[in-house]
Amino acid sequence: MATVRFVYLKAALHRQGVTSPLFRRQNSAVRAFSSVISPPSKAVVYDQHGPPDLVCKVTELPPVPLKDDEVCVRMLAAPINPSDINRIQGVYPVRPEVPAVGGYEGVGEVYSIGSAVKGLDKGDLVIPSPPSSGTWQTYFVKEQSIWHKIDKSTPVEYAATITVNPLSALRMLEDFVDLNSGDVVVQNGATSIVGQCIIQLARVRGIHTINIIRDRAGSDEVKEKLKKLGADEVFTESQLEVKNVKSLLANIPEPALGFNCVGGNAASLVLKFLKHGGTMVTYGGMSKKPVTVSTSSFIFKDLSLRGFWLQKWLTSDKAKECRGMIDYLLGLAREGDLKYEMELVPFDQFPTALDKALGKLGSQPKQVIKF
Amino acid sequence: MATVRFVYLKAALHRQGVTSPLFRRQNSAVRAFSSVISPPSKAVVYDQHGPPDLVCKVTELPPVPLKDDEVCVRMLAAPINPSDINRIQGVYPVRPEVPAVGGYEGVGEVYSIGSAVKGLDKGDLVIPSPPSSGTWQTYFVKEQSIWHKIDKSTPVEYAATITVNPLSALRMLEDFVDLNSGDVVVQNGATSIVGQCIIQLARVRGIHTINIIRDRAGSDEVKEKLKKLGADEVFTESQLEVKNVKSLLANIPEPALGFNCVGGNAASLVLKFLKHGGTMVTYGGMSKKPVTVSTSSFIFKDLSLRGFWLQKWLTSDKAKECRGMIDYLLGLAREGDLKYEMELVPFDQFPTALDKALGKLGSQPKQVIKF
């Protein structure tokens, strides 16, 4: 229990902007405190890096006085993304200093505002945009500039998850190859949320998708599900153990762009489909195997291999347009043109949700904590 | 002997533009023959793909009448490049139809010209530019447009070899990353001719080079030799078996561009040196091992992997500037600022030169046939 108390105290200090750079208020010397005080916040806190199910504790953080430009948001929902897990494990290249509150994206409603806040009112639906570490708590206090007001009719589970996965899919379709209606992309890990978003965002633009999935029980159902989302072709890896995978493409041209979130053989299959001069973008490595490429793929097939990391994109100049993109994606979600499976889990069942997100209970839908 | 006669006859027909698309004269219907006739040509001919030492025969091709716009060049020298060997083996993606005369670059002097040829005179030193299949013969008849007149003071061995390797090095330094004086590139296979050219062409531009060589007897001498050419750092692969290769770079910044002509571990070492956002260009695969890349190299280190193939570049729009680049490179060679080891071999010792080029006699300098 000593550890928990330690966490409690250090995190409380952080909330008051005393120690950690991540929690520290910017320009604190010139910023005044409002008379507004946040409620205490129930938060998932870790005070050291390690296995998330061991180092994460649900802890009550004390109330904090809001600075003039701060907003206290009552969080409604926040997902457990793989990158959240990697941050807690300490294996993510950019991560908050410990002790820290988990989570990076989420949605909430404005609960109270500092005296200098304009344009946000109590009850507004907001998301941190760009995302911000610390969304796994009931009351999240941050300066107004990070909060993006969104349409109140947005389903909370989509509002909570719109940035990390759907925005990655959108950027990857835009940033590497100029695609036109009728063009084709190929991807592995097509059942991942990014994969499902790629299928749907491509379809909106008239772009075809070739999708590679793992061999598993029920793969026919998975194929049907992806085709309902708009997938043109879905193959299991073993179906692609043929000399010329392109002979399987009856009606669509060779793809100029491919996406890899698996590595190993599944990455090689993406490369096999790509046309001369094509580009493969790696954004994940679920198999934990590296990408292996023949010399002739580079020289004679002129393939380019690149990588995508949303967090880097979000800190680049281009990220200025982030909120417009988010609004576009949320519009698609509201219209039912962008959907993916999620499980909303009450906060008091966080340990189970975490176990599911850690893969301890087999394949599970995306876990979204409901506060 | 039947085979040789068959080759002789088919190749003779080809020289007269009757059968193979590669030998056929363009617009033959509207082009007239001069009264000029070439001498018979002693040529390295192969009538089928296979092991070069088995399928190549030195054969005398009969005289051909020159068309008005053709030039007969008495070849002086032509190298045996690895790509020449791959074309004969039939493993090169673009290759002449058989029967064919070997060779792709070389130098000669104008021996006779068709009646419509202007600007070229007997005795002019010329190279085919862009290169053209069929340089391994004593008298090479081709339309004027392929012949590029060069400075007569150019040493024949450099004139014969200036395109395939030095031009590759020049393009690779130019086409992928904007480099400025003080920047750094890293390469494996640094003792290859392209590798040596990269060192020297980089030095001319004030660009530093980190060079990786195989572990072998005499590696200290090799290091000295490369440093004399201008190499800043030279490491054997085993020297780089350290946790952080960048700690070995005392005085120069991390490289933004790397070159790989080896594959396998040597390619991984190039990747290790590259800075965040860097690019590795693969132009060869001497180890016959693929390139293996971690997921995090793509995502978190933002590395890009590309390929370079000179023959593709030579058929692109950019190749219009080819001759200006060749003149620049030949100027450097004449000044002694671009040099590499070659062995000039009399044509009657072609079988030995071929064995050396095939690696049958251990590590050997570039073999250049002297006609």
Side-chain angles (χ1 to χ4, degrees), chain A residues 291 293 302 304-306 312, chain B residues 291 293 302 304-306 312:
Chain A
V291 174
V293 198
D302 194 24
S304 291
L305 272 67
R306 309 278 301 275
K312 178 164 170 274
Chain B
V291 174
V293 198
D302 194 25
S304 290
L305 273 66
R306 308 278 302 276
K312 178 164 171 275

Side-chain angles (χ1 to χ4, degrees), chain B residues 104-120:
Chain B
Y104 185 61
E105 64 175 338
V107 65
E109 61 178 33
V110 173
Y111 180 82
S112 57
I113 59 175
S115 58
V117 170
K118 289 195 171 54
L120 279 183

Side-chain angles (χ1 to χ4, degrees), chain B residues 146-213:
Chain B
I146 79 142
W147 296 109
H148 176 48
K149 184 174 161 180
I150 62 168
D151 188 314
K152 273 192 186 176
S153 68
T154 310
V156 288
E157 68 274 26
Y158 284 98
T161 58
I162 203 68
T163 307
V164 170
N165 290 305
L167 185 57
S168 291
L170 183 69
R171 291 325 317 156
M172 292 199 297
L173 279 167
E174 298 276 354
D175 290 348
F176 295 91
V177 173
D178 280 333
L179 296 171
N180 296 308
S181 179
D183 286 343
V184 184
V185 299
V186 56
Q187 64 170 340
N188 61 30
T191 57
S192 71
I193 290 190
V194 172
Q196 294 180 51
C197 290
I198 284 171
I199 292 169
Q200 295 168 89
L201 295 175
R203 187 185 54 174
V204 168
R205 292 181 54 195
I207 296 164
H208 304 288
T209 57
I210 302 162
N211 300 278
I212 304 169
I213 61 173

Side-chain angles (χ1 to χ4, degrees), chain B residues 11-171:
Chain B
L13 287 170
H14 284 160
R15 290 191 90 217
Q16 289 160 26
V18 178
T19 54
S20 158
L22 255 186
F23 280 73
R24 189 171 296 144
R25 315 301 194 213
Q26 307 234 322
N27 305 319
S28 55
V30 295
R31 288 165 62 198
F33 285 92
S34 296
S35 56
V36 184
I37 294 180
S38 80
S41 184
K42 211 163 108 182
V44 177
V45 176
Y46 55 102
D47 68 331
Q48 58 180 305
H49 295 298
D53 47 351
L54 294 181
V55 300
C56 286
K57 313 279 179 198
V58 176
T59 306
E60 191 175 282
L61 302 177
V64 288
L66 269 63
K67 291 184 181 168
D68 283 351
D69 64 345
E70 285 185 331
V71 176
C72 174
V73 171
R74 184 171 75 83
M75 294 302 289
L76 298 172
I80 306 179
N81 285 316
S83 50
D84 297 323
I85 289 170
N86 295 150
R87 283 188 195 90
I88 297 167
Q89 290 166 329
V91 299
Y92 214 65
V94 178
R95 49 183 191 259
E97 273 188 25
V98 291
V101 176
Y104 185 61
E105 64 175 338
V107 65
E109 61 178 33
V110 173
Y111 180 82
S112 57
I113 59 175
S115 58
V117 170
K118 289 195 171 54
L120 279 183
D121 291 305
K122 191 169 170 173
D124 283 346
L125 200 64
V126 290
I127 64 170
S129 181
S132 178
S133 282
T135 56
W136 291 352
Q137 58 180 317
T138 51
Y139 291 93
F140 192 12
V141 176
K142 273 280 189 181
E143 55 273 25
Q144 175 177 8
S145 60
I146 79 142
W147 296 109
H148 176 48
K149 184 174 161 180
I150 62 168
D151 188 314
K152 273 192 186 176
S153 68
T154 310
V156 288
E157 68 274 26
Y158 284 98
T161 58
I162 203 68
T163 307
V164 170
N165 290 305
L167 185 57
S168 291
L170 183 69
R171 291 325 317 156

Side-chain angles (χ1 to χ4, degrees), chain A residues 37-250:
Chain A
I37 294 180
S38 80
S41 184
K42 210 164 108 183
V44 177
V45 176
Y46 54 101
D47 68 332
Q48 58 179 304
H49 295 297
D53 47 350
L54 295 182
V55 299
C56 286
K57 314 278 178 199
V58 176
T59 307
E60 192 176 281
L61 303 177
V64 287
L66 269 62
K67 291 186 181 166
D68 284 351
D69 64 346
E70 285 185 332
V71 175
C72 174
V73 171
R74 184 172 75 84
M75 293 302 290
L76 298 172
I80 306 179
N81 286 315
S83 49
D84 296 323
I85 289 170
N86 295 149
R87 282 188 195 90
I88 297 166
Q89 291 166 330
V91 299
Y92 214 63
V94 179
R95 50 185 191 258
E97 273 189 26
V98 291
V101 175
Y104 185 62
E105 65 175 338
V107 65
E109 60 178 34
V110 173
Y111 180 82
S112 56
I113 58 177
S115 58
V117 170
K118 288 195 171 57
L120 279 183
D121 291 306
K122 191 169 170 172
D124 283 345
L125 200 64
V126 291
I127 64 171
S129 181
S132 178
S133 283
T135 57
W136 293 353
Q137 59 179 318
T138 51
Y139 291 94
F140 192 11
V141 176
K142 273 280 188 181
E143 55 272 27
Q144 175 178 9
S145 59
I146 80 140
W147 295 109
H148 176 49
K149 183 174 163 180
I150 62 169
D151 189 314
K152 273 192 186 176
S153 68
T154 310
V156 287
E157 67 273 28
Y158 285 97
T161 60
I162 203 67
T163 307
V164 170
N165 291 304
L167 184 57
S168 291
L170 183 69
R171 290 324 319 155
M172 291 199 297
L173 279 167
E174 299 276 353
D175 290 348
F176 295 92
V177 173
D178 279 333
L179 297 171
N180 297 307
S181 178
D183 286 343
V184 184
V185 299
V186 56
Q187 65 170 340
N188 60 30
T191 58
S192 70
I193 291 191
V194 172
Q196 293 180 53
C197 290
I198 283 171
I199 292 169
Q200 296 169 88
L201 295 175
R203 188 185 54 175
V204 168
R205 291 180 53 193
I207 296 163
H208 304 288
T209 57
I210 303 163
N211 299 277
I212 305 169
I213 61 173
R214 276 180 297 130
D215 290 274
R216 64 184 127 191
S219 62
D220 284 345
E221 286 162 42
V222 172
K223 282 184 190 181
E224 274 317 299
K225 196 180 131 195
L226 295 181
K227 286 193 172 176
K228 271 192 190 149
L229 291 180
D232 293 85
E233 303 280 355
V234 187
F235 302 104
T236 62
E237 289 186 33
S238 65
Q239 278 185 290
L240 299 175
E241 282 169 12
V242 295
K243 184 146 188 183
N244 180 8
V245 294
K246 293 180 183 175
S247 64
L248 301 170
L249 300 180

